[in-house]
Amino acid sequence: MITTQNINQVRAQILAWRVKGESIAFVPTMGNLHLGHMTLINEAMKHADHVVSSIFVNPMQFGATEDLSAYPRTLEADKLALSQAGVELLFTPTSETIYPKGMQQQSYVEVPEIGDQLCGASRPGHFRGVATIVCKLFNIVTPDIALFGRKDFQQLMIIKAMVDDLSMPIEIMGIETIREASGLAMSSRNGYLTSEQKNQAAQLKTTIDKLCLAIKKGQSAPLAIKNAQQALITAGFTPDYIELRSTKDLSQVTDNHSELVILAAAYIGDTRLIDNLCFIR
Ligand code: PAF
């Protein structure tokens, strides 16, 4: 596996593959890789001649109160896992390479409406940071296809909207959430949890499942959501939101919507966890 911090070296390798008419799948990450990431890589292998990945803990998507420096960094273990999985090119840029003028002077990408609500409302600037870095990485790697986890459902929708709005010739593929045996969605943030908190955290999925069942049985959405919020509090969470939205565009649900998604974000201690469930009513 070629590992480089250098944009030109990435471009040169991509060009070498392109002149042979070969295709490229891309999996961008912030490192600290777990089974969820490796599932994206394994899936990527099925869709292109070459798989490229990146590891960059993107400062632009962290809020002022969010601890960027505490984000887990496990570069050597990540490199080993990626090369064993068959990744051929790994881009590990520095912040100076990505934001040479500093983040304040940097042009940015913002996806309106979808990006302003839910996690976007709780974490102002977060999705601007995500869309900007993904756009930059796409411009560097120029993949045919890029793969993202469905755990970050709102992020996936934002990236799809960006690609569509900006006419990028890239297929965006969402891959099912990988879970611990307890049901807890795999996330680098789980590493912040004690084993007791991890048991507690599994209740996020249970609560979402119960809410889904209540809605399917015809319970009124506001009542079912209120019960779900209470269930989260009882389980020891500080809920940020638990909401029912349309899968198509994350708009508020009306009687006409049948494809729905429950999205939830809740804190255990200082750790913010998210999860979601798509279903048909
Ligand atoms: O989901 C992530 O790990 C990050 O938000 C991404 C897409 C790599 C952008 O930094």
Side-chain angles (χ1 to χ4, degrees), residues 26-44:
F26 180 44
V27 180
T29 81
M30 297 208 300
N32 192 232
L33 304 180
H34 50 68
L35 198 57
H37 296 108
M38 299 322 290
T39 306
L40 299 182
I41 299 286
N42 291 336
E43 189 63 32

Side-chain angles (χ1 to χ4, degrees), residues 108-131 153-159 161-162 165 240-241 243 245 249-252 263 272:
Y108 57 80
V109 180
E110 211 159 60
V111 176
E113 298 208 4
I114 305 178
D116 299 334
Q117 44 189 311
L118 303 165
C119 287
S122 311
R123 303 181 67 192
H126 170 66
F127 286 125
R128 174 196 288 188
V130 170
F153 188 78
Q154 191 177 5
Q155 168 175 286
L156 176 63
M157 292 204 68
I158 285 167
I159 291 165
M162 174 188 77
D165 290 352
D240 180 356
Y241 63 77
E243 296 211 23
R245 296 293 179 98
D249 54 8
L250 292 187
S251 60
Q252 297 287 348
L263 300 118
R272 189 172 187 277

Side-chain angles (χ1 to χ4, degrees), residues 240-259:
D240 180 356
Y241 63 77
I242 179 156
E243 296 211 23
L244 184 66
R245 296 293 179 98
S246 152
T247 319
K248 195 170 141 263
D249 54 8
L250 292 187
S251 60
Q252 297 287 348
V253 171
T254 67
D255 289 346
N256 297 331
H257 288 117
S258 57
E259 292 183 23

Side-chain angles (χ1 to χ4, degrees), residues 63-94:
T65 58
E66 297 172 354
D67 196 355
L68 169 68
S69 60
Y71 196 85
R73 287 157 172 90
T74 50
L75 185 59
E76 289 313 312
D78 293 347
K79 281 204 275 198
L80 187 64
L82 292 173
S83 73
Q84 283 176 347
V87 170
E88 288 175 77
L89 176 59
L90 172 63
F91 182 42
T92 57
T94 62

